[in-house]
């Protein structure tokens, strides 16, 4: 009997973007923080173009501050404070279920704490998880590779911002293809200079 292979293909209509704790007080402590912000800006622009829900959290904002101000959250579906490390809090879980979300594109900080625990919670609850290698970081750069490997081992998918955006489009006949192509071109320089994509040995 033929059994279809599970490949974790993201679908525009059943995908949500998760922006995890990219907060102001982390700015001087996170490895390649500007690169994380640049990727988040690209994904925020994409969420507006593709009408994909954006869910944002802030870890203990009284202590760690609000999300970096250069990130435009004006059209975010949710922007919630939390104390739990994982973004998979009751309000978020309810939102995902009510909107028939099947897959999540995850980016933010820290890779080995909030990003990892969010990914594990989502996977445990049968969501496909796509973590952006060019959009996650930690205070200690060596933590990144280990966190991504752990997520892959658990069944998550490690990908890049550009790859997932074209996956969501699927076809050059997509009505938003030209707008997305323009976004990719506008962010080309930031994408090319993103040191989070370099081999782990160079992250020192």
């Amino acid at each position: 009997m033929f059994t279809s292979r599970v490949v974790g293909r993201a679908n525009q209509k059943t995908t949500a973007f998760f922006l995890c704790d990219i907060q102001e007080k982390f700015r001087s402590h996170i490895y390649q923080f500007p690169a994380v912000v640049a990727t988040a800006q690209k994904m925020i622009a994409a969420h507006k173009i593709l009408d994909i829900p954006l869910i944002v959290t802030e870890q203990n904002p009284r202590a760690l501050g609000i999300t970096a101000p250069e990130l435009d959250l004006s059209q975010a579906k949710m922007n919630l404070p939390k104390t739990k490390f994982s973004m998979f809090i009751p309000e978020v879980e309810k939102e995902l279920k009510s909107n028939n979300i099947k897959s999540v594109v995850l980016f933010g900080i820290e890779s080995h704490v909030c990003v990892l625990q969010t990914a594990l919670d989502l996977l445990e609850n049968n969501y496909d998880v796509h973590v952006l290698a060019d959009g996650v970081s930690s205070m200690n750069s060596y933590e990144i590779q280990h966190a991504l490997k752990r997520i892959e081992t658990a069944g998550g998918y490690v990908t890049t911002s550009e790859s997932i955006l074209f996956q969501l489009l699927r076809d050059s006949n997509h009505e938003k293809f030209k707008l997305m192509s323009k976004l990719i071109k506008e962010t080309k320089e930031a994408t090319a200079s993103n040191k989070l994509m370099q081999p782990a040995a160079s992250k020192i």
Side-chain angles (χ1 to χ4, degrees):
M1 182 178 178
F2 176 77
T3 303
S4 62
R5 185 186 298 272
V6 177
V7 296
R9 190 185 297 276
N11 185 294
Q12 179 185 351
K13 293 182 179 179
T14 57
T15 295
F17 291 172
F18 273 28
L19 190 162
C20 184
D21 307 347
I22 306 178
Q23 290 161 259
E24 185 59 28
K25 286 196 176 179
F26 283 121
R27 186 178 295 273
S28 62
H29 303 289
I30 295 293
Y31 172 74
Q32 290 295 315
F33 187 85
V36 176
V37 168
T39 297
Q41 288 175 319
K42 182 196 299 185
M43 299 307 292
I44 290 170
H47 109 85
K48 295 175 183 177
I49 293 170
L50 296 175
D51 195 28
I52 289 177
L54 174 67
I55 293 175
V56 182
T57 59
E58 295 172 341
Q59 179 68 28
N60 194 10
R62 288 188 177 182
L64 298 175
I66 60 171
T67 299
E70 59 265 53
L71 298 179
D72 178 13
L73 308 181
S74 61
Q75 296 183 37
K77 190 77 171 181
M78 310 179 81
N79 185 2
L80 301 170
K82 65 181 178 66
T83 56
K84 183 179 179 181
F85 295 127
S86 172
M87 290 181 69
F88 197 67
I89 56 180
E91 300 94 323
V92 172
E93 182 177 8
K94 182 179 179 181
E95 182 69 22
L96 296 181
K97 288 180 177 178
S98 64
N99 287 279
N100 194 36
I101 298 299
K102 304 295 184 184
S103 60
V104 168
V105 177
L106 176 59
F107 48 97
I109 53 181
E110 287 187 76
S111 305
H112 64 299
V113 187
C114 296
V115 171
L116 173 60
Q117 293 191 37
T118 299
L120 295 179
D121 276 350
L122 288 166
L123 290 165
E124 198 168 40
N125 283 273
N126 299 313
Y127 293 94
D128 286 336
V129 180
H130 305 265
V131 180
L132 303 186
D134 56 336
V136 297
S137 190
S138 296
M139 291 188 186
N140 300 312
S141 62
Y142 62 80
E143 297 279 9
I144 303 168
Q145 60 178 318
H146 297 292
L148 294 179
K149 183 177 179 180
R150 175 71 178 90
I151 290 168
E152 282 190 310
T153 301
Y157 305 97
V158 176
T159 185
T160 65
S161 56
E162 187 167 320
S163 178
I164 198 68
L165 292 178
F166 278 110
Q167 185 183 152
L168 289 165
L169 287 174
R170 294 203 181 191
D171 195 314
S172 60
N173 285 327
H174 192 291
E175 62 179 356
K176 298 297 178 66
F177 175 73
K178 288 185 178 180
L179 286 174
M180 288 301 300
S181 294
K182 183 174 183 288
L183 173 63
I184 295 298
K185 289 177 182 178
E186 289 173 346
T187 57
K188 181 179 180 180
E189 185 176 338
T191 299
S193 63
N194 189 319
K195 293 183 179 180
L196 293 169
M197 298 298 295
Q198 294 180 0
S202 67
K203 296 176 180 176
I204 298 174

